Amino acid sequence: MNNSNKVSISRRAFLATAGLTAIAATVYPKTMLIAKATPVSPLGPGTISLAGSWRFVLDRDDEGSNAGWFKTNFSASYNISLPGILQTQGFGDEIRADTKFVAALPRDMRWYLLPQYKPYTVPGNIQVPYLSQPVRHYLGVAWYQRDIDIPADWAGKRIELFLERTRWQTDVYINDNLIGSNRSLVAPHEFDLGIIKAGRHRLTIRIDNRMLTPAYRPDGHAVSDAEGSTWNGVVGRIELSATSPVWIADAKVFPNITNKSALIHVSIGNVTGKAGTGTLSTGTVFVPVTWDESGGKATINVPLPNAGLWSEFTPELQQLSLTLSGQQADHRRSVTFGMREIKTAGNQVLLNEERFQLRATHDGGGFPLTGYPATDVATWKKIIGICKTWGLNGMRFHSWCPPEAAFIAGDELGFYLQPECGMWNAFDSDGKMLTVLTDETERLLKAYGNHPSFIMLGATNEPAGNYAKQLPSWDKTWREADPRRLYTDGTGRFAPPPEGRGKPYAADFLITGSPARGPKGWFGSDYEESLRNIRGGVTIPCFGHEIGQYCAYPDFGIIEKFEGKGKYDAFPDGIGLGKVPYMHPGNYIIMRDGARTHSILKQNKALAHASGRFQVACYKEEIEALLRTSSYSGYQLLDLHDYLGQGGALIGMLDAFWEEKGYITAEEFKHFNNTTVPLIRLKDRVFTTVDSLAASAEVTHYGPEPLKEITPQWLILNSNAKVMMSGNLPTCNIARGSGQVLGTISASLSNLPAPAVYSLVLKLAGTDFSNNWKFWVYPETIRNEMPKNVLVTSSWEEAKTHVAKGNKVLFLSGAPENPPIDLALTTTPIFWNRLMNPNRTWMIGLLNNAKHNALAGFPTEDCCDWQWVSLLPRTVAMNMSALPPTLASVVQPIDDWNRNLRLSMLFECHVGAGKLMVTSFDLSDKGIEQRPVAASLRKSVLDYMTSAKFKPQIEVTITELDAWLPSRYVAPVIPSSPPALNDVADPGQVKQ
């Protein structure tokens, strides 16, 4: 029968048994395992690695099971190395134009039928536009076989096969017999082989990586080609291990930081078919245990009087060795854990009773060199180390769960993890998907539940279908079963309160989407009102969902990185055991060809840098808005690094290889993404000399301790970093938390030179924490008298007549009454890209020739910034495709990389003896009224045009300009076919 006698020993009883209090320190020393990996192989009586060469055969027609292939020895003619995957070892199908990738976004899966992609459908030049394609593709069954030798000293022992990570379904045969099947996407596939005779045996593994039922959404990162998750093989540890017939099957450690103890729940396995008794022990703590014919359960309470707490600041680990002794039981198992507790209190999360803030990045599981996720601790330490360098303290795994190495690295480096159960799904009314979710949750918690870095678990990304009725039961079940972490039923889309609005949510926390992010919280505002609406009158912690998503133009130098040569910051093993890299940058190649076609490829580095700086400006505003929202418990970026699928979502400050792009450093990013961030509430960034700057200063602080006797200091610096004004705010103590007001910064701007750009710096004296914000000051009034030698006109007929006479003309090109979305400028960069969203905006910034004399009186860098943004509403870019490619712009809008149009807002040319400047900004008399930025730009342009420096280098004829003018606000029509019937643009559209 099952053991029902749960024996535990209190700390006091333990010390009494030991005799002296001092003995506790001897038996249970302070065991810090910081930066020391736990053993790769499981502890026990023996382990045999099965890494090496395996016989191999593809089963395209899935006939091997019925035909009994496992009963015969495969030919040695075809071998494959495991750990490894078949695609990078020369197996599978070459990529064709009509390869059926697992993906539903972007909506057009039939790209190869569109004329613009015809050159990329030719064998030998297959380049797929919407993802970095795998080197080969195979969805189907593959068989892996080898002989195993069971040593004589394993006689009478129970043997287990361990496959650390494979996908999707595995069937295991020993000799002629099916041992079992497994189809988990989130945990190792483990097979109990029972007791096997010593000697040689045939081990055969059938792996089916097709989409299985119930149907997963094809964009889930555990199953999709978007980030390369359709490989077939086995990676990580492939091992046989032997235990006694009665063994420790599982050990869950529940730390108690108040009592400084750990309660361990042990499951006992039994293949003898007989009940028995024995002892479970660790150190000098012993408890009697019993088991019935199929196994048993026990608990053991271990005092840890000297154990320190685990957190990002003190990643201290504890390690205990459990021993099970008794009738046919002789098994040891080590457990590593951390003393930490996480819970909620109202709208806040508490970690070890202290208020907690999460600063995480999204991760979709993209490993471009190997395809499969890293299973070694060193690689994950590299990745996590990079994240920490950028001020992050966590990672959310979007619809997938990483191997154990990620958890080990997180444990040792003090990094918080939120895996998900491999899903981005709609939940059917029959509960089939909920059954899968429940099974995967159990596997995931068993495999990784002891890791202190595993602080939160998400059921699924953005669920759909019947999730609102079904997932609250998931929250309740697992919170009660395993309260060592917090649970949320849906990341970005969550189940409403089961009992109705105003009643408690089932989830422990919410990860909120669009209603509580975006520009409405920027420039000194926040998202508190949005969160109040979401919460509906109840208290629950919230985290920002996939914040950012602002894109930058690609640097095509990344194409070389896909070759797998050289050293990589995050991937020390390169292509691993593969013969070739897994991913091919077909999408980047198409982007690069498009840039060449539209004559902007030579500007690649400049476009990438300028768009990147605007991306950073937007990320800074978004992050600071979240930090000013004091009831938020943190945020999850999307993303610190780029995403390879869905057309290429270049939303990271790092590229897809976790390497810097060159337009921002980690040190700069940490000014506004760190444990401690000084903040201001300043609505305006554009002023005149009659204005005063008034900003409320505050701070968010989540360092290890409060800060005492801190004097906040503010400075206003000019563009040469000269201090123009400064002051101190009241000295104060800074507690851990958000929203602490530091005081008000007030400064008259009347004596500052204008026009000019300045930086407001707020720093905490005596610390390394500071932050800064650019603002622009313009004269109160600008004399914009029309120069006698320059005609300013919005009439092309007047302009060309005047310029033909050898005169100077500023032609105000104007804008259509109904600006076309295809060329209309926007105040934030595009979301994702036009391939995924062909009807959305396109702009990702401005590339300014900041050294051009036309901008000499208009303070600017090479990128779009907030003074430019005030000029962008209701403006339309000019399409320059019909004009000579040598004609450069002074101000050039940056188009989405899937279209790559050469655009302009301001350019110059000479027309015969005349000189022409053309702008699409509204610099008319009406346009500059009450707009000091526009007035300053017009003055700067006209000052240049009246000077001797106005010498345009490129000639354009009147005939060319006449032909161009009607088409200047017309974008080419890019053909797109309607989505396929089975295409799911959003899981919420799935009908149940």
Side-chain angles (χ1 to χ4, degrees):
M1 62 180 180
N2 290 328
N3 174 33
S4 60
N5 297 319
K6 298 182 177 180
V7 180
S8 62
I9 298 179
S10 69
R11 179 186 176 191
R12 178 178 296 177
F14 163 72
L15 295 178
T17 301
L20 293 172
T21 301
I23 295 179
T26 303
V27 179
Y28 299 104
K30 194 170 185 179
T31 54
M32 293 180 64
L33 302 179
I34 296 175
K36 180 181 179 182
T38 53
V40 173
S41 298
L43 298 177
T47 300
I48 297 174
S49 172
L50 299 182
S53 180
W54 289 60
R55 300 186 293 275
F56 170 77
V57 62
L58 293 179
D59 187 1
R60 295 182 180 275
D61 298 321
D62 192 12
E63 61 183 7
S65 296
N66 291 334
W69 288 9
F70 52 89
K71 297 180 180 179
T72 62
N73 290 330
F74 297 169
S75 169
S77 300
Y78 292 99
N79 291 308
I80 195 168
S81 294
L82 294 182
I85 63 176
L86 65 87
Q87 289 91 338
T88 57
Q89 298 187 55
F91 299 103
D93 301 318
E94 293 186 358
I95 305 302
R96 304 181 310 181
D98 60 351
T99 292
K100 304 302 180 187
F101 292 107
V102 178
L105 290 173
R107 299 184 180 189
D108 186 10
M109 296 294 97
R110 295 166 293 173
W111 64 272
Y112 51 90
L113 301 177
L114 301 176
Q116 64 265 34
Y117 299 123
K118 185 176 181 180
Y120 307 108
T121 63
V122 180
N125 188 40
I126 302 295
Q127 315 292 350
V128 180
Y130 62 83
L131 52 80
S132 293
Q133 67 216 49
V135 62
R136 285 176 177 262
H137 199 255
Y138 182 75
L139 294 175
V141 175
W143 293 79
Y144 303 80
Q145 186 184 82
R146 63 162 293 164
D147 296 325
I148 57 174
D149 292 306
I150 304 300
D153 59 358
W154 282 17
K157 295 183 179 294
R158 167 252 178 196
I159 299 174
E160 180 181 78
L161 172 66
F162 181 92
L163 308 177
E164 181 170 4
R165 187 55 63 101
T166 183
R167 64 170 315 280
W168 190 337
Q169 177 167 318
T170 56
D171 302 313
V172 168
Y173 301 82
I174 293 293
N175 300 322
D176 296 349
N177 300 314
L178 175 66
I179 298 298
S181 300
N182 195 318
R183 57 164 54 186
S184 177
L185 287 168
V186 301
H189 288 200
E190 299 173 273
F191 296 88
D192 191 333
L193 308 184
I195 298 174
I196 304 176
K197 293 190 305 181
R200 176 157 291 197
H201 300 269
R202 183 175 60 248
L203 170 63
T204 309
I205 303 175
R206 175 188 180 271
I207 301 179
D208 185 353
N209 70 336
R210 292 173 294 186
M211 293 290 285
L212 304 178
T213 57
Y216 273 56
R217 173 179 161 85
D219 289 302
H221 291 146
V223 301
S224 177
D225 276 303
E227 290 269 59
S229 292
T230 60
W231 48 271
N232 189 307
V234 185
V235 298
R237 292 160 47 200
I238 309 173
E239 297 171 346
L240 292 175
S241 60
T243 71
S244 55
V246 179
W247 76 101
I248 301 172
D250 190 25
K252 295 182 173 68
V253 184
F254 291 80
N256 187 318
I257 64 173
T258 301
N259 296 334
K260 289 194 172 183
S261 63
L263 182 65
I264 306 176
H265 290 257
V266 173
S267 296
I268 299 172
N270 179 12
V271 294
T272 67
K274 298 178 181 179
T277 62
T279 301
L280 180 67
S281 65
T282 178
T284 59
V285 180
F286 295 81
V287 295
V289 295
T290 63
W291 52 87
D292 63 15
E293 292 83 355
S294 59
K297 294 186 180 299
T299 61
I300 184 168
N301 195 39
V302 183
L304 297 166
N306 296 304
L309 298 179
W310 182 96
S311 74
E312 63 186 286
F313 307 109
T314 56
E316 182 172 324
L317 299 177
Q318 313 300 322
Q319 192 171 59
L320 296 173
S321 180
L322 298 169
T323 299
L324 178 65
S325 302
Q327 298 161 336
Q328 298 197 61
D330 181 14
H331 186 216
R332 290 174 178 82
R333 178 169 180 155
S334 68
V335 289
T336 303
F337 60 98
M339 295 296 290
R340 72 108 178 100
E341 291 180 355
I342 189 166
K343 62 184 180 181
T344 65
N347 289 334
Q348 305 302 327
V349 172
L350 301 181
L351 181 71
N352 300 335
E353 301 296 337
E354 295 283 348
R355 189 169 169 180
F356 168 79
Q357 182 197 60
L358 179 70
R359 303 179 305 280
T361 184
H362 155 286
D363 183 77
F367 285 80
L369 297 178
T370 60
Y372 57 85
T375 58
D376 64 293
V377 176
T379 297
W380 282 105
K381 279 189 172 181
K382 289 278 190 180
I383 293 171
I384 289 174
I386 290 169
C387 291
K388 288 174 71 72
T389 299
W390 285 74
L392 298 174
N393 66 357
M395 182 175 289
R396 172 237 170 171
F397 299 95
H398 179 311
S399 58
W400 80 289
C401 178
E404 188 172 31
F407 295 92
I408 294 173
D411 295 345
E412 295 171 2
L413 297 181
F415 201 68
Y416 307 120
L417 306 182
Q418 181 204 313
E420 290 175 356
C421 293
M423 293 183 167
W424 183 358
N425 289 336
F427 286 79
D428 59 281
S429 57
D430 295 331
K432 296 184 181 68
M433 192 58 68
L434 180 62
T435 298
V436 174
L437 171 61
T438 300
D439 180 65
E440 287 287 62
T441 304
E442 183 176 9
R443 292 171 182 269
L444 193 155
L445 292 175
K446 178 183 177 184
Y448 315 119
N450 290 332
H451 292 280
S453 57
F454 181 7
I455 65 165
M456 304 192 303
L457 178 62
T460 173
N461 180 73
E462 298 170 358
N466 290 275
Y467 73 96
K469 295 180 179 179
Q470 296 179 5
L471 293 188
S473 65
W474 179 89
D475 291 298
K476 183 176 185 295
T477 296
W478 294 107
R479 182 189 304 111
E480 293 175 353
D482 191 344
R484 293 177 291 177
R485 60 198 48 81
L486 303 181
Y487 296 86
T488 189
D489 46 51
T491 303
R493 183 183 294 146
F494 37 81
E499 298 179 13
R501 185 170 175 81
K503 300 296 183 179
Y505 284 87
D508 289 320
F509 62 96
L510 307 180
I511 302 182
T512 61
S514 298
R517 69 181 185 199
K520 63 184 175 184
W522 296 5
F523 306 116
S525 190
D526 55 49
Y527 304 116
E528 288 291 2
E529 183 177 354
S530 298
L531 288 186
R532 282 195 294 272
N533 292 334
I534 290 171
R535 289 182 173 123
V538 302
T539 57
I540 186 171
C542 293
F543 298 89
H545 173 55
E546 296 184 355
I547 72 162
Q549 302 193 9
Y550 302 111
C551 292
Y553 195 84
D555 181 341
F556 297 124
I558 193 175
I559 292 175
E560 296 181 0
K561 294 185 180 183
F562 284 85
E563 296 176 359
K565 301 175 182 178
K567 295 182 178 180
Y568 297 84
D569 292 345
F571 306 126
D573 290 338
I575 64 173
L577 298 176
K579 296 179 180 178
V580 293
Y582 182 76
M583 286 187 177
H584 170 76
N587 53 349
Y588 285 99
I589 290 171
I590 294 176
M591 299 172 201
R592 183 183 63 185
D593 290 352
R596 182 183 293 111
T597 298
H598 290 92
S599 303
I600 62 171
L601 182 58
K602 62 184 178 183
Q603 297 178 289
N604 181 224
K605 298 290 185 183
L607 293 170
H609 184 271
S611 63
R613 291 303 299 174
F614 188 39
Q615 175 196 53
V616 169
C618 293
Y619 264 100
K620 176 173 164 63
E621 288 298 322
E622 188 99 335
I623 290 172
E624 290 181 356
L626 282 140
L627 294 177
R628 286 190 297 266
T629 308
S630 60
S631 72
Y632 251 134
S633 293
Y635 48 86
Q636 299 172 348
L637 301 179
L638 191 78
D639 188 326
L640 184 62
H641 76 314
D642 285 344
Y643 181 90
L644 292 164
Q646 299 178 6
L650 311 183
I651 35 72
M653 276 60 67
L654 305 180
D655 65 24
F657 295 82
W658 295 94
E659 296 181 340
E660 289 190 12
K661 295 182 179 179
Y663 52 76
I664 183 174
T665 64
E667 181 180 2
E668 182 181 356
F669 195 73
K670 285 177 71 173
H671 284 303
F672 53 89
N673 184 76
N674 207 341
T675 57
T676 307
V677 179
L679 299 164
I680 61 170
R681 292 181 182 267
L682 181 64
K683 180 179 179 181
D684 298 316
R685 300 301 167 86
V686 173
F687 300 89
T688 68
T689 50
V690 298
D691 295 325
S692 291
L693 183 151
S696 174
E698 60 188 70
V699 65
T700 177
H701 172 59
Y702 289 91
E705 301 290 344
L707 300 176
K708 297 182 178 180
E709 294 295 309
I710 297 296
T711 301
Q713 299 177 339
W714 62 268
L715 306 92
I716 292 178
L717 309 179
N718 68 9
S719 58
N720 294 317
K722 178 182 178 181
V723 177
M724 308 299 290
M725 285 183 275
S726 64
N728 290 342
L729 299 178
T731 299
C732 62
N733 295 329
I734 297 176
R736 296 186 78 257
S738 301
Q740 181 168 338
V741 177
L742 301 176
T744 300
I745 300 169
S746 298
S748 171
L749 306 178
S750 59
N751 293 324
L752 291 180
V757 60
Y758 298 92
S759 291
L760 171 62
V761 178
L762 177 61
K763 62 182 182 179
L764 307 181
T767 75
D768 294 328
F769 303 116
S770 68
N771 202 355
N772 63 87
W773 301 267
K774 287 193 291 188
F775 65 95
W776 290 260
V777 179
Y778 296 93
E780 176 190 5
T781 58
I782 296 177
R783 297 184 62 184
N784 264 297
E785 299 176 355
M786 293 299 179
K788 295 180 180 180
N789 62 340
V790 177
L791 173 67
V792 180
T793 180
S794 59
S795 167
W796 174 240
E797 292 301 319
E798 185 180 18
K800 71 177 180 179
T801 298
H802 204 70
V803 79
K805 296 179 181 179
N807 297 316
K808 301 176 182 179
V809 176
L810 173 59
F811 174 53
L812 305 179
S813 181
E817 290 186 7
N818 297 310
I821 192 173
D822 284 339
L823 290 174
L825 275 72
T826 52
T827 57
T828 57
I830 187 175
F831 169 87
W832 238 233
N833 54 69
R834 281 183 65 88
L835 185 59
M836 176 174 162
N837 300 295
N839 296 320
R840 290 195 180 181
T841 56
W842 51 269
M843 178 182 152
I844 44 179
L846 300 174
L847 174 58
N848 308 315
N849 186 348
K851 296 181 180 180
H852 196 286
N853 287 304
L855 301 179
F858 188 78
T860 186
E861 296 181 16
D862 69 345
C863 58
C864 183
D865 216 325
W866 304 124
Q867 88 279 29
W868 285 107
V869 166
S870 65
L871 297 174
L872 299 183
R874 296 178 296 282
T875 58
V876 182
M878 297 178 287
N879 185 349
M880 304 292 283
S881 301
L883 293 177
T886 54
L887 185 63
S889 290
V890 180
V891 179
Q892 176 181 341
I894 304 172
D895 195 16
D896 169 75
W897 51 87
N898 289 293
R899 191 172 66 169
N900 278 311
L901 292 183
R902 184 166 59 97
L903 304 169
S904 184
M905 292 299 292
L906 180 67
F907 70 91
E908 66 179 357
C909 59
H910 71 85
V911 185
K915 301 174 184 178
L916 180 67
M917 182 76 75
V918 182
T919 185
S920 197
F921 289 118
D922 186 1
L923 302 184
S924 64
D925 290 344
K926 183 178 180 180
I928 67 172
E929 291 178 3
Q930 309 301 319
R931 298 173 70 209
V933 179
S936 181
L937 178 60
R938 188 170 88 166
K939 184 177 187 303
S940 181
V941 171
L942 290 177
D943 286 349
Y944 164 64
M945 294 182 70
T946 58
S947 73
K949 296 178 180 179
F950 185 31
K951 297 179 180 179
Q953 299 300 305
I954 303 300
E955 180 175 9
V956 182
T957 67
I958 291 290
T959 301
E960 289 174 314
L961 290 167
D962 277 337
W964 165 75
L965 202 72
S967 65
R968 69 190 188 280
Y969 293 136
V970 177
V973 176
I974 299 177
S976 62
S977 60
L981 294 178
N982 61 348
D983 178 23
V984 182
D986 183 273
Q989 298 176 1
V990 176
K991 305 300 181 183
Q992 296 299 321

